[in-house]
């Protein structure tokens, strides 16, 4: 029996939202600076995916996504879904303060506090915490992986990279699995211009080039290619110790695709699971 709050909603990300909360409590967990939601498996000291929602969403959204949460719970993983802060400039929408120079919450500190609180409160494994996110949440994941590669045991963004100008360099090495839809119109592989030219989403392949440099990979060419279900996978593993980059492309748009959770867990376990 699964502890926590989870419901079968079908496969669409936009399926009807159900109540999420603080494990068996309907209200989200509260800490200084914000709130988060969590669902727990029956396993003791489980690994955990901390997953960041997209722009305008909230942590209850990922928790309500069956194709994300159900496979993880079935494999003994906990899922923690923090709430983004209300963005300034009167938008009234939650998102993440990822771009250098933006004002707002210190997301690195907030997410560190979320992780520490969840580990202490629910007995999660502090050595097996993976940071993932979708869309704006995935941009946040990339910037945190760039600045604090040792803060989490791996980084798994879906449908988000860097904005232009992207960082000139990052700390490293890092273990990163980037997943992206071939026909994503919201975060295209080539990037796009937003806000009448004020902002530009970056080119995903330029971001991968930066990650290869940061990780000290020996060649631009992937070390291996494979296909898992709908995912066309490219791996750079001949890199500095502790560094590996994988790019998984799927034939779809702006979404967390079906099968992603199992692929992510398989990838993580193949790295040694910590």
């Amino acid at each position: 029996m699964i502890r926590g709050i989870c419901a079968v909603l079908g496969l669409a990300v936009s399926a009807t939202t159900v109540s999420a909360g603080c494990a068996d409590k309907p209200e989200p967990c509260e800490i200084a600076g914000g709130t988060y939601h969590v669902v727990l498996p029956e396993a003791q000291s489980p690994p955990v995916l901390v997953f960041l929602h997209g722009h305008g969403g909230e942590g209850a959204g990922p928790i309500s996504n069956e194709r994300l949460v159900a496979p993880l719970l079935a494999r003994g993983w906990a899922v923690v879904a923090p709430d983004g802060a209300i963005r300034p400039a009167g938008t009234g929408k939650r998102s993440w303060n990822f771009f250098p120079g933006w004002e707002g919450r210190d997301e690195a500190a907030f997410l560190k506090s979320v992780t520490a609180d969840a580990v202490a409160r629910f007995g999660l494994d502090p050595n097996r915490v993976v940071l993932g996110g979708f869309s704006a949440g995935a941009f946040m994941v990339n910037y945190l992986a760039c600045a604090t590669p040792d803060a989490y045991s791996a980084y798994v963004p879906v449908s988000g990279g860097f904005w232009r100008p992207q960082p000139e360099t990052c700390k490293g090495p890092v273990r990163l699995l980037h997943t992206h839809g071939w026909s994503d119109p919201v975060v295209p592989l080539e990037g796009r211009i937003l806000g009448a030219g004020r902002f530009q989403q970056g080119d995903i392949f330029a971001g991968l080039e930066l990650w290869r440099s940061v990780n000290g990979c020996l060649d631009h060419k992937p070390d291996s290619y494979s296909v898992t279900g709908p995912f066309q996978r490219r791996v750079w593993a001949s890199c500095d110790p502790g560094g590996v980059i994988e790019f998984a492309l799927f034939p779809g748009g702006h979404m967390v695709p079906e099968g992603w959770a199992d692929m992510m867990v398989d990838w993580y376990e193949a790295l040694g699971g910590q």
Side-chain angles (χ1 to χ4, degrees):
M1 181 177 179
I2 294 171
R3 292 185 289 139
I5 298 173
C6 187
V8 176
L9 300 176
L11 296 178
V13 173
S14 59
T16 304
T17 301
V18 299
S19 297
C22 193
D24 294 326
K25 299 179 181 179
E27 302 83 11
C29 306
E30 287 194 50
I31 63 169
T35 53
Y36 69 91
H37 306 259
V38 59
V39 288
L40 304 167
E42 210 42 58
Q44 300 299 309
S45 191
V48 55
L49 173 67
V50 178
F51 197 85
L52 311 183
H53 61 76
H55 176 76
E58 57 184 9
I63 293 297
S64 302
N65 181 356
E66 189 211 5
R67 70 177 164 208
L68 172 65
V69 171
L72 292 167
L73 292 173
R75 297 184 66 168
W77 282 59
V79 182
V80 169
D83 290 315
I86 301 296
R87 292 294 302 146
T91 64
K93 294 183 178 181
R94 294 186 182 274
S95 194
W96 304 99
N97 185 33
F98 58 80
F99 194 70
W102 281 357
E103 296 182 357
R105 186 172 65 186
D106 182 338
E107 304 290 25
F110 170 66
L111 294 172
K112 181 179 179 180
S113 296
V114 166
T115 301
D117 186 80
V119 165
R121 194 184 301 204
F122 303 110
L124 311 180
D125 188 341
N127 297 313
R128 294 187 293 166
V129 182
V130 175
L131 183 66
F134 170 69
S135 194
F139 284 106
M140 186 76 256
V141 170
N142 272 274
Y143 280 95
L144 287 175
C146 182
T148 59
D150 295 329
Y152 300 87
S153 61
Y155 296 82
V156 291
V158 182
S159 303
F162 292 112
W163 280 24
R164 295 180 184 273
Q166 73 176 23
E168 293 183 5
T169 188
C170 295
K171 298 178 182 179
V174 68
R175 302 196 298 181
L176 182 134
L177 168 64
H178 180 115
T179 307
H180 217 98
W182 172 257
S183 55
D184 189 335
V186 179
V187 184
L189 288 165
E190 301 80 7
R192 67 173 177 141
I193 298 172
L194 300 169
R198 291 183 299 130
F199 307 110
Q200 293 187 48
Q201 293 171 350
D203 187 303
I204 296 302
F205 293 101
L208 289 170
E209 183 175 18
L210 172 60
W211 285 123
R212 290 195 300 270
S213 174
V214 168
N215 271 18
C217 299
L218 297 179
D219 199 348
H220 304 303
K221 182 179 72 68
D223 295 293
S224 66
Y225 308 83
S226 63
V227 178
T228 304
F231 301 103
Q232 302 280 340
R233 303 171 67 174
R234 310 164 77 87
V235 179
W236 291 267
S238 297
C239 308
D240 291 340
V244 63
I245 307 163
E246 178 158 342
F247 182 51
L249 196 62
F250 65 93
H254 196 63
M255 66 182 73
V256 179
E258 185 175 3
W260 178 84
D262 279 314
M263 180 190 69
M264 185 277 294
V265 173
D266 289 342
W267 173 81
Y268 184 69
E269 291 180 348
L271 296 178
Q274 58 182 332

